[in-house]
Amino acid sequence: MRELTYLEAVREAMSQEMRQNEDVFILGEDIGVYGGAFGVTRGMIEEFGPERIRNTPISEAAISGTAVGAALTGMRPILELQFSDFMTIAMDNMVNQAAKIRYMYGGKGKVPMVLRTPAGSGTGAAAQHSQSLEAWMAHVPGLKVVQPSTAYDAKGLLKAAIDEDNPVIFYEHKLCYKTKSDVPEELYSIPLGQADIKRQGSDVTIVATAIMVHKSLEAALELEKEGISVEVIDPRTLVPLDTDTIIESVKKTSRLVVVHEAVKRGGFGGEIASVIAESEAFDYLDAPIKRLGGKAVPIPYNPELEKSAIPSVEDIVAAVKETLNHR
Amino acid sequence: MTSLINLPAHLKRDDLTDLLKQMWQIRFFEEKVDEFFAKGMIHGTTHLAVGQEASAVGSIAVLEERDKITSTHRGHGHCIAKGAEVNRMMAELFGRTTGYCKGKGGSMHIADVEKGNLGANGIVGGGFAIAAGAALTSQMKNEGYVVLCFFGDGASNEGSFHEALNLASIWKLPVVFVCENNQYGMSGPAKEMMNIEDVAARAESYGIPGKVVDGNDVFDVMNGVSEAVDRARTGQGPSIVEAKTYRWKGHSKSDAKKYRTREEEQKWRAKDPIARLRDALIQEGLLTEEGATEIKAAAKKEIEDSVEFSKQSPMPTIDDLMEDIYA
């Protein structure tokens, strides 16, 4: 099978969807000739034209609301937000409008829109262009939240997100954009709410999201050298969350480490830990659950400081060993 | 004798009496709601449009059936003018399952998406971009409908106003922004909250027309909005129409109105848009005293009936709580 980068996979999912569904269009800042801040929409305006690859002014509040209005009246907009940090400006429309309209209207009306946005640190862009705010969105009833870690997942999940009749926040980790995996040429869908076991193991379960999936797999390879067998689960979607897969894994391994890049305090790791603490898997635990997340600090510019603000492979290795050494 | 009414050419006598009936329906609906709040019979809060009947009715009277509206937190009048059933509106305020939102939305969220009412909105300025988005759908799908976006003087100080008007202007979206300048944003007098006399003057900075009309003269509203709707429908883009009017009641039920004088209230009450229309129709020989009395009585009865309908409607059950979060 051919390999695609994550970025190409995202683009391919959108292009293939747009070829088969006239209602799908993209709006966002600089997505036209420029090709988007990260080049995701590069070349799309040539095929689909400026009506459907719709360049917007720098107006996150307006374009997010416009997507809501278009979705409510029969279109399936994909909104590209240049950086997930700008969610703060689009927040009202996503949280107060998109997420609630169906419920507030007594089940009438639907908002089938996808807000795609690059998240995460590692590019030296500092505190206003590097955040991981997915826990905010996962907290809001009415939104679905997707965080693919591989090119294969990105294509299939984006297809599912576009087909959703509900608003979906689709987080693309910037450092994942250049990663590659086998991606089928045909359009396929990965259902939201289905975790993926990225690596089978028997001694400890790691639940990791986005770029931390890659770091966890790296850590698992290191640990394997010492005879430690690590299972790595990628939930892929935070809402809906596939709790069954996580619970079953913990029942098998009896140990859980949760890893995400977002700030640990109030982060989604707390939710995953609670799922286990409230489930029958609790009785299987042989060690306290370990959570790894970003430090409670704005992401700094200096590369060494930036790296140290979030969990590293070494941190994950250490956390796994700590749970294994617990008695 | 010169005509007292500046009549839009296409209007027939039946249409004229419909205008009067709708305005009375709004008046009686709001007065009934006011009474029920005072008695503690319905809960939450509400924002009454007593005194603003002409801007709602006059604006929507020039729309076609297929056209859409977005409304504000003071939206009962817009809903009635767009053809909402008062039974279902009142039932919503009573929190019953027969209400427009099955009792989950309340006063600020009455919507009827299928009939082109895209919803009242609890967020000041929340409708600007949604209206633009609905207009974008009309433009992209070539559906030919126009969107009428109601907003208040206070909302014109929100960022979303600027962003959405700019967007609508550059894309020539078929939307008309109707400002109901009722002189106050909650307790803030418009003249203290902006350094210009007319909200319509802001149109100039978006390169679109802005027009001021007498918001207590239903015909002046109709003529102004009609012109803007024609412009929108023929692909010439958005406009602002500012209807100068006044809310007789406070901002919401908890408002003691300490920020304004009784003299000011009396001055505006003397400009009652309903009495004005009624008297004009009689003086023009288009309506008799008896005819007017009949219309008034019919409107009143409909509201009385809506109360009975609501009282007899079922309450939602706890099983309904989690319904309709997602499509």
Side-chain angles (χ1 to χ4, degrees):
Chain A
M1 198 181 287
R2 81 215 160 115
E3 279 196 327
L4 283 188
T5 65
Y6 182 104
L7 184 149
E8 290 164 339
V10 169
R11 181 192 299 144
E12 188 169 273
M14 293 194 291
S15 296
Q16 289 178 339
E17 271 286 343
M18 286 180 70
R19 279 173 210 138
Q20 66 181 36
N21 189 347
E22 282 286 316
D23 293 341
V24 179
F25 72 105
I26 312 177
L27 71 171
E29 295 152 3
D30 307 299
I31 62 168
V33 177
Y34 192 92
F38 288 84
V40 178
T41 55
R42 197 162 293 155
M44 290 184 77
I45 195 165
E46 281 81 359
E47 179 178 355
F48 298 104
E51 286 281 306
R52 297 181 73 199
I53 306 297
R54 190 170 276 266
N55 239 3
T56 68
I58 300 167
S59 301
E60 289 82 3
I63 58 182
S64 53
T66 299
V68 174
L72 188 59
T73 48
M75 300 298 285
R76 304 188 85 86
I78 301 171
L79 168 63
E80 179 174 302
L81 203 58
Q82 275 186 336
F83 289 86
S84 73
D85 313 70
F86 306 164
M87 184 62 84
T88 50
I89 314 166
M91 197 80 160
D92 176 55
N93 284 303
M94 298 317 298
V95 173
N96 281 324
Q97 312 293 347
K100 296 180 172 67
I101 278 178
R102 186 169 174 82
Y103 191 82
M104 286 190 315
Y105 293 3
K108 295 288 178 63
K110 57 185 183 186
V111 185
M113 65 176 286
V114 183
L115 186 153
R116 291 180 33 246
T117 187
S121 66
T123 63
Q128 294 170 336
H129 288 72
S130 303
Q131 294 167 88
S132 300
L133 302 174
E134 64 273 6
W136 286 9
M137 294 296 128
H139 185 75
V140 178
L143 298 177
K144 298 198 173 183
V145 180
V146 182
Q147 271 190 300
S149 66
T150 68
Y152 175 85
D153 289 353
K155 182 172 174 184
L157 289 166
L158 185 51
K159 153 90 176 141
I162 297 169
D163 289 344
E164 260 285 330
D165 279 340
N166 299 290
V168 178
I169 313 292
F170 194 89
Y171 286 104
E172 298 162 11
H173 198 289
K174 291 160 211 155
L175 299 188
C176 289
Y177 273 143
K178 287 183 180 164
T179 63
K180 285 187 170 183
S181 65
D182 288 346
V183 177
E185 288 190 28
E186 74 276 7
L187 194 52
Y188 57 93
S189 183
I190 296 173
L192 306 186
Q194 206 172 81
D196 188 41
I197 301 174
K198 295 290 185 206
R199 179 194 164 99
Q200 301 273 353
S202 55
D203 294 330
V204 59
T205 298
I206 295 180
V207 175
T209 56
I211 194 69
M212 290 299 156
V213 174
H214 299 276
K215 290 194 178 182
S216 298
L217 289 169
E218 221 178 295
L221 279 179
E222 297 267 322
L223 290 157
E224 190 180 33
K225 292 177 196 157
E226 301 179 36
I228 299 166
S229 169
V230 178
E231 179 144 303
V232 177
I233 294 177
D234 176 1
R236 299 196 290 201
T237 65
L238 303 187
V239 184
L241 180 66
D242 179 357
T243 54
D244 290 350
T245 299
I246 299 168
I247 289 168
E248 284 312 307
S249 176
V250 172
K251 280 161 74 178
K252 182 173 74 172
T253 64
S254 302
R255 289 178 166 84
L256 175 63
V257 176
V258 185
V259 195
H260 56 60
E261 177 173 325
V263 170
K264 179 178 167 183
R265 181 178 70 204
F268 199 75
E271 179 66 23
I272 291 172
S274 300
V275 164
I276 294 305
E278 289 176 345
S279 77
E280 75 267 22
F282 179 76
D283 288 329
Y284 292 75
L285 285 175
D286 287 338
I289 297 165
K290 189 91 190 149
R291 275 194 300 152
L292 289 184
K295 295 187 173 72
V297 63
I299 298 290
Y301 165 68
N302 175 284
E304 287 311 309
L305 294 181
E306 183 184 28
K307 260 187 238 165
S308 60
I310 64 166
S312 64
V313 174
E314 296 71 38
D315 293 336
I316 300 169
V317 167
V320 167
K321 287 184 176 171
E322 206 179 311
T323 62
L324 284 164
N325 291 335
H326 178 81
R327 27 183 104 247
Chain B
M1 189 173 87
T2 54
S3 177
L4 289 165
I5 52 182
N6 176 16
L7 200 59
H10 61 280
L11 264 192
K12 299 186 184 64
R13 184 187 165 128
D14 286 355
D15 296 334
L16 292 172
T17 50
D18 279 352
L19 298 178
L20 187 59
K21 183 175 178 191
Q22 277 191 339
M23 285 165 70
W24 260 322
Q25 278 180 316
I26 296 170
R27 177 72 52 92
F28 291 135
F29 186 90
E30 299 293 58
E31 285 179 350
K32 192 54 82 176
V33 171
D34 202 21
E35 176 194 329
F36 288 158
F37 270 117
K39 289 181 182 165
M41 286 167 66
I42 41 185
H43 83 152
T45 188
T46 194
H47 310 83
L48 305 177
V50 177
Q52 299 183 202
E53 296 87 353
S55 59
V57 168
S59 300
I60 293 172
V62 304
L63 297 185
E64 295 175 8
E65 190 87 23
R66 61 182 170 155
D67 294 331
K68 301 186 191 299
I69 66 161
T70 62
S71 174
T72 68
H73 60 286
R74 198 176 306 284
H76 300 162
H78 309 140
C79 293
I80 289 174
K82 188 71 175 112
E85 297 167 35
V86 288
N87 281 358
R88 296 183 63 195
M89 287 179 62
M90 191 64 85
E92 185 57 34
L93 295 184
F94 273 78
R96 309 296 166 120
T97 57
T98 52
Y100 268 104
C101 312
K102 299 183 190 164
K104 292 172 176 176
S107 165
M108 286 190 286
H109 303 296
I110 295 174
D112 193 357
V113 176
E114 284 155 27
K115 294 212 173 128
N117 177 357
L118 301 181
N121 209 310
I123 303 297
V124 174
F128 291 122
I130 293 176
L136 180 62
T137 298
S138 179
Q139 188 186 68
M140 289 184 80
K141 290 191 173 222
N142 206 14
E143 291 188 353
Y145 66 76
V146 169
V147 185
L148 211 148
C149 172
F150 286 103
F151 67 103
D153 44 286
S156 76
N157 297 324
E158 290 274 4
S160 60
F161 171 83
H162 168 75
E163 290 198 14
L165 267 88
N166 181 57
L167 194 79
S169 169
I170 59 168
W171 289 351
K172 288 200 179 332
L173 296 178
V175 54
V176 177
F177 297 97
V178 176
C179 178
E180 294 180 301
N181 184 342
N182 66 12
Q183 317 298 325
Y184 291 92
M186 200 159 163
S187 70
K191 57 181 181 292
E192 288 178 20
M193 297 300 162
M194 50 192 160
N195 210 6
I196 49 174
E197 188 70 26
D198 301 323
V199 171
R202 293 181 164 175
E204 193 183 344
S205 58
Y206 312 108
I208 63 173
K211 189 181 171 89
V212 177
V213 297
D214 180 345
N216 283 21
D217 178 350
V218 71
F219 299 118
D220 205 31
V221 174
M222 288 174 82
N223 284 314
V225 176
S226 173
E227 199 179 306
V229 166
D230 287 347
R231 184 183 144 83
R233 210 182 304 279
T234 51
Q236 298 172 76
S239 321
I240 299 176
V241 179
E242 178 183 7
K244 303 274 195 194
T245 184
Y246 195 76
R247 58 163 155 82
W248 289 13
K249 304 283 179 179
H251 167 73
S252 62
K253 68 165 179 172
S254 56
D255 184 354
K257 298 186 285 180
K258 287 181 182 160
Y259 50 85
R260 67 191 198 190
T261 62
R262 190 152 290 240
E263 290 69 35
E264 178 184 293
E265 291 183 359
Q266 288 308 329
K267 187 189 94 184
W268 279 95
R269 276 175 186 262
K271 299 182 195 175
D272 181 354
I274 300 182
R276 188 161 162 181
L277 173 62
R278 177 190 172 280
D279 294 350
L281 292 179
I282 290 172
Q283 285 185 43
E284 290 289 313
L286 295 161
L287 185 69
T288 60
E289 288 278 356
E290 298 73 40
T293 309
E294 273 174 35
I295 292 169
K296 187 175 181 178
K300 191 160 197 163
K301 178 157 190 324
E302 279 187 39
I303 302 307
E304 296 290 348
D305 289 350
S306 77
V307 174
E308 281 316 302
F309 173 84
S310 304
K311 285 180 177 168
Q312 283 162 26
S313 291
M315 285 286 188
T317 67
I318 300 305
D319 291 341
D320 298 324
L321 174 67
M322 300 302 288
E323 292 295 316
D324 298 327
I325 300 169
Y326 293 109

